[in-house]
């Protein structure tokens, strides 16, 4: 027993064990990435809660045991930063956020860091969470158009490569209907959670009242009798397998492909400036062409006058 306690209390053994604490930072970074690019759904919320609770308890015990390790101090600060985007982007997902918040705060406050340094970093993190949260709230709830989206219809292409859905978008004006297309094979299934891709392309929208009749004909998506999407143009073959070719700039890759009045105004101004520049360039070309034609006419008139003068001179000499 004494040998066991000697090993357990050994400084270097604790430092070695503290390396395992990086697993929690990796998990946080993993969810940061996925919550930005995927829509996380719970296949079994009970199983996820059990697994999350067990993992969180183990991480808390690990941080408590290795609290004197410099690595645990580093993990405590890094995890505070990694938890911040998860809190903002997945607000309301309490089965994920509550255990993560508990472990993150426990790891930061239990580590044996210099009290002055811990106070300074704690103040920095507190300001980051407060000011960052306020800024995020303003951007997401004040400066963007608030809409209520209702799913009307969805379907999958005959090949199974793409899916579409029709949204009824309610806004402060009359509202509109939007038809989006998504890759259908990029979802990730992890057993008790499923991550649906947020990659999408807006293929048609129109203000209400309007009705869309969507159907697939081979590789083409037809809306109200017109072709609006051809999956053959967005698929490529590599090593005998079909892969998505969706890097043409018309696809959105996150939830943040939403309407911001400020951004829309900037785009409108840029569009008007581009049109004005094109118009000015056309006018410059017209003026240049007119100047060249006038110069040619002047040159032709001068040549004619010279010829007439030469004829008159010859007649006088005769």
């Amino acid at each position: 027993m004494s040998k066991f306690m000697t090993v357990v209390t050994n400084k270097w053994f604790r430092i070695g064990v503290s390396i395992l604490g990086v697993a929690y930072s990796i998990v946080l970074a993993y969810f940061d990435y996925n919550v930005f690019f995927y829509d996380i759904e719970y296949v079994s919320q009970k199983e996820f809660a059990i697994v999350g609770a067990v993992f969180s308890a183990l991480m808390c015990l690990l941080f408590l045991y290795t609290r004197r390790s410099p690595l645990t101090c580093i993990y405590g600060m890094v995890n505070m930063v990694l938890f911040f985007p998860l809190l903002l982007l997945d607000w309301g997902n309490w089965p994920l956020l509550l255990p993560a918040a508990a472990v993150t705060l426990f790891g930061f406050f239990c580590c044996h860091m210099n009290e002055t340094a811990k106070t300074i970093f704690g103040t920095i993190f507190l300001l980051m969470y407060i000011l960052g949260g306020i800024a995020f709230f303003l951007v997401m709830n004040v400066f963007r158009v608030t809409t209520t989206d209702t799913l009307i219809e969805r379907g999958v292409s005959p090949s199974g490569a793409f899916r579409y859905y029709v949204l009824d978008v309610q806004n402060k004006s009359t509202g509109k209907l939007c038809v989006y297309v998504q890759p259908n094979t990029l979802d990730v299934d992890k057993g008790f959670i499923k991550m649906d891709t947020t990659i999408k392309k807006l293929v048609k929208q129109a203000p209400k009242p309007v009705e869309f009749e969507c159907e697939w004909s081979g590789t083409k998506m037809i809306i109200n009798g017109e072709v609006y999407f051809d999956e053959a143009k967005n698929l490529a073959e590599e090593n005998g397998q079909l892969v998505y070719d969706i890097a043409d700039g018309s696809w959105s890759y996150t939830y943040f492909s939403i309407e911001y009045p400020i951004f829309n105004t900037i785009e409108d101004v840029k569009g008007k400036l581009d049109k004005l520049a094109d118009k000015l360039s056309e006018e410059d070309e017209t003026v240049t062409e007119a100047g060249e034609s006038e110069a040619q006419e002047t040159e032709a008139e001068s040549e004619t006058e010279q010829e007439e003068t030469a004829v008159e001179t010859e007649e006088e000499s005769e």
Side-chain angles (χ1 to χ4, degrees):
M1 187 67 179
S2 60
K3 292 183 178 179
F4 174 77
M5 294 301 299
T6 302
V7 173
V8 170
T9 57
N10 183 270
K11 173 183 177 182
W12 297 107
F13 180 77
R14 287 185 176 181
I15 292 177
V17 174
S18 67
I19 297 176
L20 300 175
V22 74
Y24 180 71
S25 299
I26 294 174
V27 170
L28 279 182
Y30 175 78
F31 276 106
D32 283 341
Y33 173 84
N34 287 317
V35 80
F36 194 79
F37 291 101
Y38 293 92
D39 177 18
I40 299 178
E41 297 181 0
Y42 294 103
V43 178
S44 175
Q45 189 168 347
K46 182 178 180 181
E47 291 183 9
F48 180 83
I50 293 173
V51 173
V54 172
F55 179 74
S56 298
L58 291 176
M59 286 296 103
C60 286
L61 291 175
L62 178 65
F63 289 147
L64 181 64
Y65 173 67
T66 62
R67 61 189 180 276
R68 297 182 182 276
S69 170
L71 289 178
T72 301
C73 297
I74 296 174
Y75 296 151
M77 293 185 291
V78 171
N79 293 338
M80 290 291 290
V81 176
L82 291 176
F83 180 68
F84 181 58
L86 183 64
L87 178 67
L88 295 182
L89 299 178
D90 208 20
W91 178 263
N93 187 1
W94 306 121
L96 175 62
L97 292 179
L98 291 180
V103 178
T104 301
L105 292 174
F106 181 83
F108 178 75
F109 286 109
C110 81
C111 66
H112 276 215
M113 189 188 305
N114 181 275
E115 293 300 324
T116 302
K118 183 178 288 189
T119 302
I120 293 174
F121 281 110
T123 304
I124 293 174
F125 292 140
L126 182 62
L127 290 174
M128 179 184 73
Y129 275 74
I130 293 175
L131 298 180
I134 293 174
F136 185 80
F137 173 81
L138 290 175
V139 171
M140 297 301 295
N141 295 280
V142 177
F143 296 111
R144 73 180 179 95
V145 176
T146 303
T147 63
T148 302
D149 302 340
T150 304
L151 180 64
I152 297 178
E153 179 186 350
R154 66 173 62 186
V156 181
S157 66
S159 65
F162 288 90
R163 60 176 179 253
Y164 79 92
Y165 59 94
V166 183
L167 287 184
D168 181 357
V169 180
Q170 299 285 345
N171 51 32
K172 293 182 179 180
S173 59
T174 59
K176 59 183 178 180
L177 291 185
C178 300
V179 182
Y180 289 94
V181 173
Q182 285 187 307
N184 195 43
T185 61
L186 297 184
D187 302 333
V188 180
D189 191 350
K190 293 296 184 179
F192 46 81
I193 61 172
K194 182 181 179 183
M195 294 177 289
D196 298 329
T197 181
T198 58
I199 298 175
K200 61 185 179 181
K201 179 177 183 178
L202 177 63
V203 296
K204 184 175 177 58
Q205 62 177 341
K208 296 188 296 186
V210 67
E211 292 184 1
F212 291 153
E213 294 182 2
C214 305
E215 60 179 346
W216 289 93
S217 178
T219 62
K220 298 179 180 180
M221 182 182 182
I222 301 175
I223 305 175
N224 295 347
E226 297 183 14
V227 177
Y228 281 89
F229 179 77
D230 189 351
E231 68 176 28
K233 297 180 180 179
N234 294 275
L235 290 175
E237 186 172 343
E238 293 182 4
N239 300 324
Q241 296 182 348
L242 291 177
V243 296
Y244 292 104
D245 183 12
I246 51 178
D248 59 358
S250 63
W251 294 81
S252 168
Y253 290 85
T254 70
Y255 279 126
F256 298 95
S257 58
I258 49 184
E259 297 180 358
Y260 292 95
I262 294 178
F263 296 162
N264 291 344
T265 302
I266 293 174
E267 292 297 328
D268 291 341
V269 171
K270 287 173 60 179
K272 291 179 180 179
L273 291 176
D274 292 338
K275 291 181 180 178
L276 180 60
D278 294 339
K279 185 177 180 180
L280 291 176
S281 63
E282 291 177 358
E283 290 179 354
D284 290 339
E285 292 177 358
T286 303
V287 171
T288 303
E289 292 176 356
E292 292 177 353
S293 61
E294 289 179 359
Q296 293 176 356
E297 291 177 358
T298 303
E299 184 178 354
E301 290 177 357
S302 62
E303 291 179 355
T304 304
E305 290 178 356
Q306 290 177 1
E307 291 177 357
E308 291 177 353
T309 304
V311 171
E312 292 177 355
T313 303
E314 290 178 358
E315 289 177 353
E316 291 176 357
S317 62
E318 290 177 357

